[in-house]
Amino acid sequence: MRAAVMTAPRTALTVEDRPVPEPGPGEVLIRVVACGMCYSEVVHLNDRYPFGRFPTVPGHEVSGVVEAVGAGVDFPAVGTRVGAQWLYDSCGHCDLCVRGDQVLCPAKRATGITLDGGYAEYMIAKAGYVTPLPDGLDPVAAAPLMCAGITGFNGLRHGGARPGSKVAVLGTGGVGTMAVRFAVAMGARVAVVSRSRRAEDRAKRLGAELFIATEEQDPAEALRAWDGGADVVLHTAPANGPAEAAVGGIAPDGTLVILGVGEGPLHIPPFALVANRIRVMGMPSGSPHDMRDTLAFAAAHGIVPEITPITLDEAPAVLAAMADGTAPNTRHVITLS
């Protein structure tokens, strides 16, 4: 099989031939149909994950078909269309795992970071951690739902978004765009906050009622003018500045949800939290049941990302552009079969 490999930190991807792996007990072999490219790959390339390893086949936004199963696997069956997500597996027996919060397990492992992922024609996955794709969901367009989708969907749910809530989305990348679409489908009112107005037309087309360009307006002031502030602020940018600038625009009893991770500490004045009883939380993707909910909601509402399909041979150049900030604002998806 052909696979794109991160051989070492801060080096270019290389496309090479490898043997097709064989599934062991409890594992499935997935013939990869498509794999989305996520900014997490840039984080891994820069060696910022303490649990990451090299060399690695990256990729955790995987859709494909079960090609073979290992010993003891009776589900999913060969031929099942499935998605594989960031969470590769967990210990299965700690309190968090047995309560269905496997993504919080201290022993969890990550697809494409600690084990090989979907930038390949075939990959191994744990049977209990892949999710059947709902009927009617296009496997290529749906690939980014396995990370950008579940992260945005879970951020909204855990942040308390509901019909009529005011949700501000900071950032217009893959997670931000998915969050806008999910929030609108949930019946929330949506504002999008970005540095410039370059993404305004798309945000409005996706259902945002307000667009705030921070190079023109103070985001906190603009959000306060939006009927008293946002009930939920989803920070999706890979830098901390947008979240820090928007804190003053959170309504009383509101929640700041950190989805995008920047380098260094997040600076928030304690009085801003205390005075308005504001909560700050993070959201690390999701567990298998969250993936099922995300895909079911996406299928029910016809929500799939806007993507740009590419070949495996184009992936090294696209990842390099993502790393240096010159990639176009689109979700690239490697299509393999």
Side-chain angles (χ1 to χ4, degrees):
M1 71 174 189
R2 302 180 74 236
V5 183
M6 284 185 188
T7 56
R10 290 172 287 277
T11 59
L13 280 178
T14 59
V15 179
E16 60 185 53
D17 291 326
R18 288 186 162 196
V20 176
E22 295 185 5
E27 297 177 341
V28 297
L29 175 68
I30 297 175
R31 174 173 55 82
V32 179
V33 172
C35 183
M37 299 186 69
C38 175
Y39 194 79
S40 291
E41 273 92 79
V42 176
V43 176
H44 183 37
L45 186 65
N46 289 330
D47 202 19
R48 287 174 50 198
Y49 285 123
F51 48 83
R53 70 164 177 83
F54 296 91
T56 317
V57 177
H60 56 267
E61 295 184 342
V62 183
S63 66
V65 178
V66 176
E67 189 81 1
V69 301
V73 175
D74 55 14
F75 182 87
V78 171
T80 303
R81 300 187 320 145
V82 295
Q85 64 181 101
W86 184 89
L87 178 66
Y88 181 87
D89 69 358
S90 61
C91 77
H93 56 74
C94 72
D95 189 62
L96 291 163
C97 284
V98 300
R99 294 179 186 277
D101 276 327
Q102 295 94 329
V103 75
L104 301 181
C105 173
K108 63 180 173 287
R109 298 190 291 178
T111 307
I113 299 171
T114 47
L115 293 104
D116 289 338
Y119 284 27
E121 292 176 323
Y122 293 89
M123 65 169 282
I124 296 293
K126 286 295 186 72
Y129 291 80
V130 298
T131 305
L133 297 183
D135 291 340
L137 202 58
D138 174 55
V140 176
L145 292 173
M146 311 307 158
C147 180
I150 188 175
T151 303
F153 184 77
N154 255 359
L156 289 164
R157 291 205 299 183
H158 286 269
R162 55 183 58 86
S165 294
K166 288 169 289 175
V167 174
V169 178
L170 313 183
T172 57
V175 176
T177 301
M178 292 305 305
V180 169
R181 298 190 65 183
F182 282 131
V184 170
M186 291 175 181
R189 301 169 59 190
V190 178
V192 172
V193 181
S194 187
R195 184 175 61 182
S196 72
R197 294 198 175 273
R198 183 178 63 176
E200 181 174 11
D201 288 344
R202 182 176 65 167
K204 294 287 184 68
R205 175 166 52 84
L206 295 178
E209 69 175 67
L210 176 66
F211 190 93
I212 299 167
T214 59
E215 65 183 13
E216 301 173 7
Q217 299 172 276
D218 174 71
E221 182 179 320
L223 287 173
R224 286 196 301 271
W226 189 37
D227 295 339
D231 302 304
V232 180
V233 172
L234 292 186
H235 173 258
T236 73
N240 295 333
E244 295 169 351
V247 168
I250 302 176
D253 268 336
T255 303
L256 170 63
V257 186
I258 304 297
L259 305 178
V261 180
E263 295 190 58
L266 182 66
H267 298 285
I268 298 177
F271 185 77
L273 306 181
V274 173
N276 289 305
R277 205 162 60 196
I278 290 170
R279 292 168 293 277
V280 180
M281 64 180 299
M283 182 52 54
S285 183
S287 299
H289 71 90
D290 298 311
M291 192 75 260
R292 288 198 177 219
D293 290 346
T294 301
L295 294 180
F297 190 90
H301 293 272
I303 297 174
V304 290
E306 298 175 349
I307 66 165
T308 299
I310 64 169
T311 66
L312 188 65
D313 291 308
E314 293 173 304
V318 171
L319 186 63
M322 291 168 62
D324 64 24
T326 60
N329 190 17
T330 183
R331 203 71 173 185
H332 291 92
V333 174
I334 303 167
T335 55
L336 291 137
S337 59

